[in-house]
Structures are given as structure tokens and as C-alpha cells.
Amino acid sequence: DELAKLQDYLLDLARFVRVVWVGPQPEPNVDLQNMNILFRNVSVLDAASENRLIQVVDEHLKAANRQRRIDYVSVIPVLDYRFERDFFVDGKYLYADKHHWSAAGEQYFGKRLLEDNTLRQLLILPGAE
């Protein structure tokens, strides 16, 4: 219901301006207070509770926004998140909590987003190139 309300709002807004809806990012759902994290002994087992419903939500939003006035962009394939490679990098956690990127994560994943041609074309304003 909440997604439908948001979509209705964005469709109304799209009557006046271009709307680009950037989809959800992967959420590892890892408790940063657990002992493995504290001792930097992170393993794939720590990701056992990853929020896999994000993929379901993303697929729903892609389908729901086809043929609409909203440009929907799935970032899941662009980010290509894999816990073993993308949770703890160069001595830094890329998530600040179970769901949000840390400052290091914003830089790390932001670079991937900005390197994607589709996203770049959608997000760069005409004349700002």
C-alpha cells in the first residue's frame, strides 16, 4: 500500500517534472554489534539474515513502472553487491548499520553508481556535462 501511495504521488509529480525513481539498494541486515564484527572476523555466515526481500520489491517496482511517466532505475545489478567482497573493504565497514551505507560505503558504492552509463544519462542535467 505504501509503495502504491508513493507511486501515485510520483505520477502526479511527473505531470510537471521529470521523475527518476532510483530503486532500493542491497541491505546486509548485519548487526554491527555482534562479536564477529567487533573482532573483524566477518564471514559469509554473518550475512545469513540479508534482506532478500529487497530484490522482490525491486522487481515489483520495475514491473509497476513500465509504461509510466516515471523512469525507474534498478541499482541492484549496477551495485553487484556481494557480502564477501563488499561489506568490509580496506579495513572499513561499508555499512553504518543494518541498512545504510557508511561514509566509506557512500564513496565505494557511489563510484559504481556514477560509472553506470544509464544512471549517468538519467541523472545528469542537460547542459551540465
Side-chain angles (χ1 to χ4, degrees), residues 39-89:
F39 290 106
R40 298 192 179 198
N41 187 21
V42 181
S43 78
V44 72
L45 296 176
D46 291 300
S49 65
E50 280 186 322
N51 191 343
R52 300 192 195 299
L53 290 177
I54 294 295
Q55 183 73 37
V56 173
V57 169
D58 188 60
E59 291 299 323
H60 168 76
L61 291 173
K62 275 193 274 189
N65 287 295
R66 271 190 204 105
Q67 309 300 320
R68 300 271 172 100
R69 294 182 310 264
I70 299 172
D71 290 312
Y72 180 79
V73 180
S74 173
V75 296
I76 291 174
V78 173
L79 292 172
D80 188 29
Y81 172 82
R82 289 197 306 270
F83 180 85
E84 305 84 10
R85 177 192 68 198
D86 299 323
F87 185 75
F88 186 72
V89 176

Side-chain angles (χ1 to χ4, degrees), residues 1 3 9 11 25 46 54 56 58 61 63 68 82 103 109 112-114 117 119-120 122:
D1 289 343
L3 287 175
Y9 172 77
L11 283 167
Q25 67 193 36
D46 291 300
I54 294 295
V56 173
D58 188 60
L61 291 173
R68 300 271 172 100
R82 289 197 306 270
F109 293 116
R112 284 188 192 169
L113 293 173
L114 292 175
N117 286 332
L119 274 172
R120 193 173 328 124
L122 284 171

